[in-house]
Amino acid sequence: MRAVDVLVHLATARFDRALTYSVPDGPALRVGDIVRVPLGSREVFAYVVTAERVLAGAPLKLRAIAARTDAPRAFDDDGLALARWVAQTYLCSLREALATIVLADAVPRVVERFVPLGEPPAPERFSSVPERLVRLLWGDAQGGISPAALLRHPEARRSGDRRTLIAAIGALVRGGVLERRRTFVRPPVSERTIRVLEPGAAPIRGRSAAALAAYVREHAPVRRTDAVLAGFSDAVIRRAIAAGAVLEMQRSLEHARARRLTLPDFVPTAEQRAAIDAIAAATDAGEYAQLLVHGATGSGKTLVYLHAIARVLARGARAIVLVPEIALTPQTAERFERAFGERVAVLHSALSERERYDAWRAAARSELDVVVGARSAVFAPLPDVQMIVVDEEHETSYRQDSTPRYHAVDVARERMRRAGGVVVLGSATPALEDYARAKAGRFPLVRLRERATAQPLPATHIVDMTREFEAGSNRIFSTALVEAIGERLVRGEKSVLFINRRGAARFVLCRSCGYVPNCDRCSTSLVMHRDEGRLRCHYCDAQRAIPAVCPSCGLGPIAPYGVGTQRVAAEVEVLFPAARIVRMDADTTTRIGDHARLLDRFGREADVLIGTQMVAKGLDFPDVTLVGAIAADLDLHVADYRAAERTFDLVVQVCGRSGRARAGEAFIQTYSATHPAIVFAAQHDYEGFAHQELAERRALQWPPFVRLVFAGVVGRDRASVEATIERYAAVLRGDARWEVLGPVTYPLARLNDEWRYRIAVKTRELDALRDALRTLVLPEAARSKDTRLVVTFEA
Ligand code: ADP
Ligand code: ZN
């Protein structure tokens, strides 16, 4: 008898055990095939997770697979192996790991509908069924209606409460006049197509439509998603199509099979050449390796990546490029598209579900050579990947903070370890863990000290704001920064003003008693939204009107503390009425494409870009010769062993936006002018900072000298959360192989009406700790009804 193991695909299923079914006649099933199997009285979809085997001996009482589906294979053996590794490493179920690896759209779904049969039944046949419901089903809902839509329908609700409705529907179904019809919706299996825009003949009306038409004429054919990324709104595109000013076509990518490669025609600098050669040597060796490219901001790391990947493609293999956030780095994504043409897929947020799925399938069918994307692109089903490039490898966005809590850089390493490929880590400010390991000789470290454009790094000034305060200046800007902005305006150069908005930057407080309004559900201060006249929680979005007087003392006005981009913009307008300003923050970038549009405007016609974290990284504008960091040090005061590293990183990156093509300057305004993170950053001295910071970490025993794991407990009832975390702490304590710190609350003790406590565990034996968590803590957590366990492998 032929048999395979399957994993049932049910969002709600808690158990993770593979079930064995017999295989009906037909071609062999493969790992990743999607089948339908009986489960209890139901029939559900399931993934095949083993190769077929033949069971000898007495026939077992196995249930048989009900049907194969023609859905494309959800994963291959490598994908499954990687999913198992993720489950093992991050202590989640295989099902949860697969949910991350397999696109939701790739799995068939069952759709249920109630379909009325024949004429409406005579009222006396179903005396318990409200007439209104019959009229609805045989009227508006004649074509069938899903159970959820039916229960929600206003007409249905008017005819009775939920219980009555369910009973009535049941009666109709049993009476044979209403059918509960189940259909299977499978993922599309068509060729990969993209929507492209071509110039149309019709005249153009409207400024934005004209701009779009000009853009399309210049670049035709233009992918629709590229037009969106270039800043044209969907509405404008639709209007232009409707008017015939541009034409939309579906184009199959079949013709794009040929490999195309256009490297930028820069001659690599000597440093770039050395880096390219080092990576090439690793590539040609054909076994697992990782390299760290530590390159100053503007040193031309992208060119190195492009050459490195070209080498991999020349060997007939493929590559994945991870970037922190596509929306924030449109310039980087563009460079890859230019180089690899249609053999590259950039998985950005402007893609529709369908386009994302098409790209995923094109990858699985080897129609692509390169996939560029954020964190989850590390799982792209591209066969024969021999290189994974991780740009800005230190970024926290590579860590997923929901289950599975994976770190994409570690997954990249594991994937390349299995494939015998190369991981290229690049950063101006590498994670100290990676830097320390490379320094210790565990893998090669390649340096790019010079900027590729032969411009020196900007001259940097630390502005001690406590002095400014003493001098009686109460403004947002120091005198020096104001003068510097003025000079840029005179010379026609551009400035970037960065406002750190993490942490406590925008809370309001009572000027009389110091009272701070907090969110009732989350232990965090509410944030001022002046344009709406409201206070909002940035975690759960609870909202409240801004009180006129303090609700605590009844005296003082409630006013914002710290500054936002709006305040800064207003101040610049007062100081320099002629300056053309672009403001970029969460409020001005609510739609896809807003980033690109604002950046484009800044590049073309503005003088000053004012923004939050969004402007800190990755921007490459040659005319920017001034960067001002308004409150560079806010992160320094966060209780986190990485606070100094984060601040250093941020300051280096922000300053790096300045002086890329002409001599530039940067001003760092801070209340911690002598802090090493600030001082070293101002000197662009990563090594100096790393040396000092690593010495401190060694003394205090923080990563990379130990591994750090957080085990947290979350739940609504504070007492039971506290009791539970205490129990877990007690289970782990008393083992000499690790040290348990806490329990304490998370930095945010309450989130969404839930209490959050955690312990920190430091160890040198991570595998042993993982085993202990798996065998001692996980089983108990699985039984707990009112709390959840959250394990984070921090470093
Ligand atoms: P990084 O990512 O290291 O900060 P980029 O890759 O953005 O740096 O490169 C910075 C700038 O230098 C870009 O505008 C790029 O086009 C340019 N550039 C890169 N390599 C060279 C080169 N060899 N010659 C001239 N310009 C270069
Ligand atoms: Zn809240």
Side-chain angles (χ1 to χ4, degrees), residues 219-261:
H219 301 280
V222 174
R223 297 188 201 193
R224 198 181 207 277
T225 48
D226 286 349
V228 173
L229 278 187
F232 297 101
S233 76
D234 212 53
V236 166
I237 296 173
R238 257 183 287 127
R239 245 183 290 128
I241 292 169
V246 303
L247 308 176
E248 183 181 55
M249 333 236 186
Q250 291 282 344
R251 196 145 57 98
S252 159
L253 279 189
E254 285 309 282
H255 70 278
R257 285 278 163 82
R259 293 195 159 185
R260 199 199 83 187
L261 185 64

mmCIF file of all heavy atoms in Angstrom, residues 219-261:
data_model
loop_
_atom_site.group_PDB
_atom_site.id
_atom_site.type_symbol
_atom_site.label_atom_id
_atom_site.label_comp_id
_atom_site.label_asym_id
_atom_site.label_seq_id
_atom_site.Cartn_x
_atom_site.Cartn_y
_atom_site.Cartn_z
ATOM 1 N N HIS A 219 9.265 56.409 -20.616
ATOM 2 C CA HIS A 219 9.777 55.125 -20.149
ATOM 3 C C HIS A 219 9.063 53.911 -20.732
ATOM 4 O O HIS A 219 9.339 52.800 -20.328
ATOM 5 C CB HIS A 219 9.680 55.035 -18.618
ATOM 6 C CG HIS A 219 10.425 56.107 -17.897
ATOM 7 N ND1 HIS A 219 11.784 56.069 -17.691
ATOM 8 C CD2 HIS A 219 10.010 57.271 -17.346
ATOM 9 C CE1 HIS A 219 12.169 57.156 -17.040
ATOM 10 N NE2 HIS A 219 11.105 57.908 -16.811
ATOM 11 N N ALA A 220 8.104 54.106 -21.637
ATOM 12 C CA ALA A 220 7.240 53.011 -22.078
ATOM 13 C C ALA A 220 8.041 51.798 -22.550
ATOM 14 O O ALA A 220 9.078 51.974 -23.178
ATOM 15 C CB ALA A 220 6.340 53.500 -23.216
ATOM 16 N N PRO A 221 7.571 50.585 -22.298
ATOM 17 C CA PRO A 221 6.397 50.312 -21.475
ATOM 18 C C PRO A 221 6.714 50.430 -19.995
ATOM 19 O O PRO A 221 7.786 50.043 -19.561
ATOM 20 C CB PRO A 221 6.053 48.862 -21.838
ATOM 21 C CG PRO A 221 7.372 48.265 -22.220
ATOM 22 C CD PRO A 221 8.209 49.364 -22.810
ATOM 23 N N VAL A 222 5.778 50.962 -19.222
ATOM 24 C CA VAL A 222 5.981 51.156 -17.792
ATOM 25 C C VAL A 222 5.113 50.164 -17.041
ATOM 26 O O VAL A 222 3.920 50.045 -17.322
ATOM 27 C CB VAL A 222 5.549 52.585 -17.384
ATOM 28 C CG1 VAL A 222 5.608 52.764 -15.877
ATOM 29 C CG2 VAL A 222 6.412 53.616 -18.088
ATOM 30 N N ARG A 223 5.702 49.436 -16.115
ATOM 31 C CA ARG A 223 4.850 48.588 -15.282
ATOM 32 C C ARG A 223 3.941 49.480 -14.461
ATOM 33 O O ARG A 223 4.377 50.504 -13.945
ATOM 34 C CB ARG A 223 5.687 47.782 -14.299
ATOM 35 C CG ARG A 223 6.621 46.841 -14.968
ATOM 36 C CD ARG A 223 7.218 45.991 -13.896
ATOM 37 N NE ARG A 223 8.460 45.426 -14.396
ATOM 38 C CZ ARG A 223 9.095 44.438 -13.797
ATOM 39 N NH1 ARG A 223 8.620 43.955 -12.670
ATOM 40 N NH2 ARG A 223 10.193 43.952 -14.301
ATOM 41 N N ARG A 224 2.718 49.034 -14.286
ATOM 42 C CA ARG A 224 1.773 49.824 -13.512
ATOM 43 C C ARG A 224 2.311 50.040 -12.094
ATOM 44 O O ARG A 224 2.240 51.140 -11.545
ATOM 45 C CB ARG A 224 0.441 49.087 -13.452
ATOM 46 C CG ARG A 224 -0.719 49.965 -13.052
ATOM 47 C CD ARG A 224 -1.957 49.104 -13.010
ATOM 48 N NE ARG A 224 -3.194 49.847 -13.254
ATOM 49 C CZ ARG A 224 -3.852 50.519 -12.337
ATOM 50 N NH1 ARG A 224 -3.382 50.585 -11.115
ATOM 51 N NH2 ARG A 224 -4.960 51.141 -12.622
ATOM 52 N N THR A 225 2.889 48.997 -11.520
ATOM 53 C CA THR A 225 3.401 49.127 -10.152
ATOM 54 C C THR A 225 4.530 50.148 -10.089
ATOM 55 O O THR A 225 4.687 50.845 -9.096
ATOM 56 C CB THR A 225 3.919 47.789 -9.628
ATOM 57 O OG1 THR A 225 4.758 47.218 -10.635
ATOM 58 C CG2 THR A 225 2.788 46.850 -9.324
ATOM 59 N N ASP A 226 5.314 50.233 -11.174
ATOM 60 C CA ASP A 226 6.397 51.215 -11.172
ATOM 61 C C ASP A 226 5.843 52.627 -11.209
ATOM 62 O O ASP A 226 6.394 53.535 -10.590
ATOM 63 C CB ASP A 226 7.319 50.998 -12.369
ATOM 64 C CG ASP A 226 8.202 49.781 -12.169
ATOM 65 O OD1 ASP A 226 8.228 49.274 -11.030
ATOM 66 O OD2 ASP A 226 8.842 49.341 -13.125
ATOM 67 N N ALA A 227 4.734 52.798 -11.952
ATOM 68 C CA ALA A 227 4.116 54.125 -11.995
ATOM 69 C C ALA A 227 3.628 54.512 -10.602
ATOM 70 O O ALA A 227 3.775 55.647 -10.162
ATOM 71 C CB ALA A 227 2.971 54.143 -13.006
ATOM 72 N N VAL A 228 3.067 53.530 -9.898
ATOM 73 C CA VAL A 228 2.609 53.797 -8.532
ATOM 74 C C VAL A 228 3.796 54.163 -7.652
ATOM 75 O O VAL A 228 3.772 55.133 -6.893
ATOM 76 C CB VAL A 228 1.851 52.586 -7.957
ATOM 77 C CG1 VAL A 228 1.540 52.803 -6.484
ATOM 78 C CG2 VAL A 228 0.573 52.335 -8.750
ATOM 79 N N LEU A 229 4.864 53.394 -7.788
ATOM 80 C CA LEU A 229 6.053 53.665 -6.980
ATOM 81 C C LEU A 229 6.664 55.010 -7.340
ATOM 82 O O LEU A 229 7.280 55.663 -6.506
ATOM 83 C CB LEU A 229 7.093 52.569 -7.180
ATOM 84 C CG LEU A 229 6.892 51.301 -6.368
ATOM 85 C CD1 LEU A 229 8.088 50.395 -6.556
ATOM 86 C CD2 LEU A 229 6.724 51.619 -4.890
ATOM 87 N N ALA A 230 6.500 55.412 -8.587
ATOM 88 C CA ALA A 230 7.059 56.701 -8.998
ATOM 89 C C ALA A 230 6.212 57.854 -8.487
ATOM 90 O O ALA A 230 6.525 59.010 -8.722
ATOM 91 C CB ALA A 230 7.167 56.769 -10.519
ATOM 92 N N GLY A 231 5.121 57.534 -7.816
ATOM 93 C CA GLY A 231 4.379 58.584 -7.130
ATOM 94 C C GLY A 231 3.050 58.937 -7.765
ATOM 95 O O GLY A 231 2.383 59.866 -7.314
ATOM 96 N N PHE A 232 2.643 58.221 -8.824
ATOM 97 C CA PHE A 232 1.332 58.519 -9.406
ATOM 98 C C PHE A 232 0.276 57.699 -8.681
ATOM 99 O O PHE A 232 0.426 56.485 -8.533
ATOM 100 C CB PHE A 232 1.326 58.206 -10.903
ATOM 101 C CG PHE A 232 2.294 59.046 -11.676
ATOM 102 C CD1 PHE A 232 3.519 58.537 -12.068
ATOM 103 C CD2 PHE A 232 2.001 60.370 -11.975
ATOM 104 C CE1 PHE A 232 4.438 59.319 -12.752
ATOM 105 C CE2 PHE A 232 2.905 61.162 -12.666
ATOM 106 C CZ PHE A 232 4.124 60.637 -13.056
ATOM 107 N N SER A 233 -0.768 58.359 -8.231
ATOM 108 C CA SER A 233 -1.755 57.641 -7.440
ATOM 109 C C SER A 233 -2.578 56.746 -8.350
ATOM 110 O O SER A 233 -2.680 56.961 -9.562
ATOM 111 C CB SER A 233 -2.665 58.618 -6.711
ATOM 112 O OG SER A 233 -3.592 59.166 -7.612
ATOM 113 N N ASP A 234 -3.163 55.729 -7.742
ATOM 114 C CA ASP A 234 -3.971 54.796 -8.480
ATOM 115 C C ASP A 234 -5.119 55.525 -9.175
ATOM 116 O O ASP A 234 -5.484 55.202 -10.303
ATOM 117 C CB ASP A 234 -4.508 53.741 -7.517
ATOM 118 C CG ASP A 234 -4.672 52.419 -8.205
ATOM 119 O OD1 ASP A 234 -3.679 51.957 -8.808
ATOM 120 O OD2 ASP A 234 -5.782 51.857 -8.151
ATOM 121 N N ALA A 235 -5.669 56.535 -8.505
ATOM 122 C CA ALA A 235 -6.793 57.273 -9.069
ATOM 123 C C ALA A 235 -6.380 57.981 -10.358
ATOM 124 O O ALA A 235 -7.095 57.939 -11.363
ATOM 125 C CB ALA A 235 -7.322 58.280 -8.054
ATOM 126 N N VAL A 236 -5.216 58.607 -10.332
ATOM 127 C CA VAL A 236 -4.731 59.306 -11.522
ATOM 128 C C VAL A 236 -4.517 58.318 -12.666
ATOM 129 O O VAL A 236 -4.916 58.561 -13.811
ATOM 130 C CB VAL A 236 -3.404 60.056 -11.208
ATOM 131 C CG1 VAL A 236 -2.714 60.501 -12.490
ATOM 132 C CG2 VAL A 236 -3.687 61.240 -10.310
ATOM 133 N N ILE A 237 -3.926 57.168 -12.340
ATOM 134 C CA ILE A 237 -3.666 56.176 -13.380
ATOM 135 C C ILE A 237 -4.990 55.699 -13.981
ATOM 136 O O ILE A 237 -5.149 55.614 -15.198
ATOM 137 C CB ILE A 237 -2.863 54.986 -12.804
ATOM 138 C CG1 ILE A 237 -1.482 55.471 -12.337
ATOM 139 C CG2 ILE A 237 -2.714 53.885 -13.850
ATOM 140 C CD1 ILE A 237 -0.666 54.430 -11.608
ATOM 141 N N ARG A 238 -5.955 55.430 -13.101
ATOM 142 C CA ARG A 238 -7.239 54.937 -13.600
ATOM 143 C C ARG A 238 -7.917 55.981 -14.487
ATOM 144 O O ARG A 238 -8.476 55.661 -15.527
ATOM 145 C CB ARG A 238 -8.147 54.542 -12.433
ATOM 146 C CG ARG A 238 -8.186 53.023 -12.256
ATOM 147 C CD ARG A 238 -9.133 52.603 -11.165
ATOM 148 N NE ARG A 238 -8.591 52.911 -9.847
ATOM 149 C CZ ARG A 238 -9.221 53.594 -8.910
ATOM 150 N NH1 ARG A 238 -10.431 54.077 -9.152
ATOM 151 N NH2 ARG A 238 -8.670 53.803 -7.739
ATOM 152 N N ARG A 239 -7.848 57.239 -14.055
ATOM 153 C CA ARG A 239 -8.465 58.300 -14.846
ATOM 154 C C ARG A 239 -7.802 58.420 -16.212
ATOM 155 O O ARG A 239 -8.467 58.535 -17.237
ATOM 156 C CB ARG A 239 -8.390 59.636 -14.101
ATOM 157 C CG ARG A 239 -9.789 60.155 -13.728
ATOM 158 C CD ARG A 239 -9.717 61.519 -13.056
ATOM 159 N NE ARG A 239 -9.130 61.441 -11.731
ATOM 160 C CZ ARG A 239 -8.118 62.196 -11.296
ATOM 161 N NH1 ARG A 239 -7.559 63.080 -12.084
ATOM 162 N NH2 ARG A 239 -7.661 62.057 -10.065
ATOM 163 N N ALA A 240 -6.481 58.364 -16.223
ATOM 164 C CA ALA A 240 -5.756 58.499 -17.491
ATOM 165 C C ALA A 240 -6.083 57.335 -18.429
ATOM 166 O O ALA A 240 -6.192 57.510 -19.642
ATOM 167 C CB ALA A 240 -4.251 58.580 -17.224
ATOM 168 N N ILE A 241 -6.258 56.143 -17.840
ATOM 169 C CA ILE A 241 -6.608 54.976 -18.665
ATOM 170 C C ILE A 241 -8.017 55.160 -19.230
ATOM 171 O O ILE A 241 -8.264 54.952 -20.421
ATOM 172 C CB ILE A 241 -6.524 53.681 -17.835
ATOM 173 C CG1 ILE A 241 -5.065 53.384 -17.456
ATOM 174 C CG2 ILE A 241 -7.111 52.505 -18.627
ATOM 175 C CD1 ILE A 241 -4.896 52.289 -16.436
ATOM 176 N N ALA A 242 -8.935 55.574 -18.339
ATOM 177 C CA ALA A 242 -10.321 55.749 -18.769
ATOM 178 C C ALA A 242 -10.406 56.787 -19.888
ATOM 179 O O ALA A 242 -11.190 56.647 -20.829
ATOM 180 C CB ALA A 242 -11.185 56.169 -17.582
ATOM 181 N N ALA A 243 -9.579 57.834 -19.819
ATOM 182 C CA ALA A 243 -9.621 58.893 -20.819
ATOM 183 C C ALA A 243 -8.864 58.500 -22.087
ATOM 184 O O ALA A 243 -8.918 59.205 -23.084
ATOM 185 C CB ALA A 243 -9.033 60.177 -20.231
ATOM 186 N N GLY A 244 -8.119 57.384 -22.020
ATOM 187 C CA GLY A 244 -7.371 56.958 -23.198
ATOM 188 C C GLY A 244 -6.036 57.670 -23.362
ATOM 189 O O GLY A 244 -5.378 57.556 -24.379
ATOM 190 N N ALA A 245 -5.636 58.428 -22.326
ATOM 191 C CA ALA A 245 -4.362 59.138 -22.411
ATOM 192 C C ALA A 245 -3.194 58.167 -22.253
ATOM 193 O O ALA A 245 -2.112 58.358 -22.800
ATOM 194 C CB ALA A 245 -4.284 60.223 -21.345
ATOM 195 N N VAL A 246 -3.399 57.117 -21.475
ATOM 196 C CA VAL A 246 -2.441 56.007 -21.473
ATOM 197 C C VAL A 246 -3.252 54.719 -21.630
ATOM 198 O O VAL A 246 -4.440 54.670 -21.307
ATOM 199 C CB VAL A 246 -1.587 55.927 -20.179
ATOM 200 C CG1 VAL A 246 -0.834 57.211 -19.935
ATOM 201 C CG2 VAL A 246 -2.441 55.571 -18.993
ATOM 202 N N LEU A 247 -2.598 53.694 -22.141
ATOM 203 C CA LEU A 247 -3.270 52.413 -22.359
ATOM 204 C C LEU A 247 -2.711 51.391 -21.392
ATOM 205 O O LEU A 247 -1.504 51.367 -21.135
ATOM 206 C CB LEU A 247 -3.023 51.926 -23.794
ATOM 207 C CG LEU A 247 -3.340 52.944 -24.895
ATOM 208 C CD1 LEU A 247 -2.956 52.374 -26.255
ATOM 209 C CD2 LEU A 247 -4.826 53.307 -24.864
ATOM 210 N N GLU A 248 -3.600 50.565 -20.858
ATOM 211 C CA GLU A 248 -3.121 49.494 -19.975
ATOM 212 C C GLU A 248 -3.208 48.168 -20.707
ATOM 213 O O GLU A 248 -4.210 47.859 -21.336
ATOM 214 C CB GLU A 248 -3.980 49.433 -18.706
ATOM 215 C CG GLU A 248 -3.459 48.385 -17.740
ATOM 216 C CD GLU A 248 -4.314 48.284 -16.487
ATOM 217 O OE1 GLU A 248 -5.538 48.071 -16.594
ATOM 218 O OE2 GLU A 248 -3.752 48.415 -15.400
ATOM 219 N N MET A 249 -2.141 47.393 -20.638
ATOM 220 C CA MET A 249 -2.159 46.067 -21.274
ATOM 221 C C MET A 249 -1.661 45.021 -20.285
ATOM 222 O O MET A 249 -0.838 45.301 -19.431
ATOM 223 C CB MET A 249 -1.196 46.016 -22.464
ATOM 224 C CG MET A 249 -0.952 47.331 -23.111
ATOM 225 S SD MET A 249 -1.362 47.116 -24.817
ATOM 226 C CE MET A 249 -0.876 48.668 -25.474
ATOM 227 N N GLN A 250 -2.154 43.809 -20.483
ATOM 228 C CA GLN A 250 -1.637 42.666 -19.748
ATOM 229 C C GLN A 250 -0.510 42.110 -20.599
ATOM 230 O O GLN A 250 -0.706 41.821 -21.763
ATOM 231 C CB GLN A 250 -2.716 41.591 -19.608
ATOM 232 C CG GLN A 250 -3.847 41.978 -18.711
ATOM 233 C CD GLN A 250 -3.482 41.840 -17.248
ATOM 234 O OE1 GLN A 250 -2.495 41.191 -16.907
ATOM 235 N NE2 GLN A 250 -4.260 42.449 -16.383
ATOM 236 N N ARG A 251 0.641 41.963 -20.025
ATOM 237 C CA ARG A 251 1.713 41.397 -20.816
ATOM 238 C C ARG A 251 2.249 40.153 -20.130
ATOM 239 O O ARG A 251 2.494 40.153 -18.935
ATOM 240 C CB ARG A 251 2.840 42.409 -20.981
ATOM 241 C CG ARG A 251 3.786 42.046 -22.087
ATOM 242 C CD ARG A 251 4.293 43.281 -22.796
ATOM 243 N NE ARG A 251 4.939 44.174 -21.857
ATOM 244 C CZ ARG A 251 6.251 44.210 -21.686
ATOM 245 N NH1 ARG A 251 7.049 43.425 -22.364
ATOM 246 N NH2 ARG A 251 6.778 45.046 -20.842
ATOM 247 N N SER A 252 2.383 39.104 -20.891
ATOM 248 C CA SER A 252 2.938 37.884 -20.334
ATOM 249 C C SER A 252 4.444 38.057 -20.239
ATOM 250 O O SER A 252 5.059 38.747 -21.043
ATOM 251 C CB SER A 252 2.602 36.709 -21.236
ATOM 252 O OG SER A 252 3.509 35.678 -20.978
ATOM 253 N N LEU A 253 5.033 37.420 -19.244
ATOM 254 C CA LEU A 253 6.477 37.562 -19.103
ATOM 255 C C LEU A 253 7.224 36.436 -19.800
ATOM 256 O O LEU A 253 8.419 36.309 -19.670
ATOM 257 C CB LEU A 253 6.856 37.610 -17.625
ATOM 258 C CG LEU A 253 6.668 38.985 -17.016
ATOM 259 C CD1 LEU A 253 7.244 39.029 -15.633
ATOM 260 C CD2 LEU A 253 7.329 40.048 -17.870
ATOM 261 N N GLU A 254 6.489 35.612 -20.528
ATOM 262 C CA GLU A 254 7.118 34.460 -21.159
ATOM 263 C C GLU A 254 8.284 34.856 -22.062
ATOM 264 O O GLU A 254 9.275 34.162 -22.143
ATOM 265 C CB GLU A 254 6.082 33.680 -21.976
ATOM 266 C CG GLU A 254 5.139 32.880 -21.113
ATOM 267 C CD GLU A 254 5.885 32.026 -20.112
ATOM 268 O OE1 GLU A 254 6.399 30.969 -20.516
ATOM 269 O OE2 GLU A 254 5.992 32.412 -18.940
ATOM 270 N N HIS A 255 8.126 35.996 -22.735
ATOM 271 C CA HIS A 255 9.172 36.369 -23.683
ATOM 272 C C HIS A 255 10.448 36.822 -22.965
ATOM 273 O O HIS A 255 11.476 36.993 -23.580
ATOM 274 C CB HIS A 255 8.681 37.494 -24.587
ATOM 275 C CG HIS A 255 8.527 38.785 -23.852
ATOM 276 N ND1 HIS A 255 7.423 39.085 -23.112
ATOM 277 C CD2 HIS A 255 9.381 39.823 -23.698
ATOM 278 C CE1 HIS A 255 7.586 40.264 -22.548
ATOM 279 N NE2 HIS A 255 8.750 40.732 -22.885
ATOM 280 N N ALA A 256 10.351 37.011 -21.677
ATOM 281 C CA ALA A 256 11.501 37.554 -20.955
ATOM 282 C C ALA A 256 12.414 36.456 -20.420
ATOM 283 O O ALA A 256 13.124 36.654 -19.464
ATOM 284 C CB ALA A 256 11.029 38.443 -19.807
ATOM 285 N N ARG A 257 12.373 35.316 -21.043
ATOM 286 C CA ARG A 257 13.167 34.190 -20.540
ATOM 287 C C ARG A 257 14.676 34.424 -20.636
ATOM 288 O O ARG A 257 15.443 33.920 -19.853
ATOM 289 C CB ARG A 257 12.803 32.911 -21.303
ATOM 290 C CG ARG A 257 11.480 32.308 -20.898
ATOM 291 C CD ARG A 257 11.670 31.478 -19.630
ATOM 292 N NE ARG A 257 10.405 31.195 -18.979
ATOM 293 C CZ ARG A 257 9.581 30.215 -19.346
ATOM 294 N NH1 ARG A 257 9.886 29.431 -20.350
ATOM 295 N NH2 ARG A 257 8.462 30.020 -18.694
ATOM 296 N N ALA A 258 15.070 35.170 -21.660
ATOM 297 C CA ALA A 258 16.501 35.348 -21.868
ATOM 298 C C ALA A 258 17.099 36.157 -20.725
ATOM 299 O O ALA A 258 16.468 37.053 -20.191
ATOM 300 C CB ALA A 258 16.741 36.051 -23.191
ATOM 301 N N ARG A 259 18.308 35.840 -20.375
ATOM 302 C CA ARG A 259 18.961 36.582 -19.306
ATOM 303 C C ARG A 259 19.477 37.901 -19.829
ATOM 304 O O ARG A 259 20.042 37.971 -20.912
ATOM 305 C CB ARG A 259 20.127 35.765 -18.770
ATOM 306 C CG ARG A 259 19.633 34.536 -18.096
ATOM 307 C CD ARG A 259 20.715 33.918 -17.260
ATOM 308 N NE ARG A 259 20.038 33.072 -16.280
ATOM 309 C CZ ARG A 259 20.669 32.441 -15.315
ATOM 310 N NH1 ARG A 259 21.957 32.568 -15.185
ATOM 311 N NH2 ARG A 259 20.003 31.697 -14.481
ATOM 312 N N ARG A 260 19.239 38.923 -19.044
ATOM 313 C CA ARG A 260 19.755 40.217 -19.440
ATOM 314 C C ARG A 260 20.483 40.798 -18.256
ATOM 315 O O ARG A 260 20.068 40.640 -17.125
ATOM 316 C CB ARG A 260 18.601 41.137 -19.820
ATOM 317 C CG ARG A 260 19.032 42.313 -20.658
ATOM 318 C CD ARG A 260 17.986 43.405 -20.603
ATOM 319 N NE ARG A 260 18.175 44.195 -19.395
ATOM 320 C CZ ARG A 260 17.319 45.140 -19.011
ATOM 321 N NH1 ARG A 260 16.226 45.366 -19.690
ATOM 322 N NH2 ARG A 260 17.566 45.846 -17.922
ATOM 323 N N LEU A 261 21.566 41.440 -18.518
ATOM 324 C CA LEU A 261 22.347 41.971 -17.421
ATOM 325 C C LEU A 261 23.010 43.248 -17.876
ATOM 326 O O LEU A 261 23.758 43.250 -18.841
ATOM 327 C CB LEU A 261 23.396 40.924 -17.023
ATOM 328 C CG LEU A 261 24.233 41.234 -15.820
ATOM 329 C CD1 LEU A 261 23.370 41.316 -14.577
ATOM 330 C CD2 LEU A 261 25.260 40.137 -15.621
#
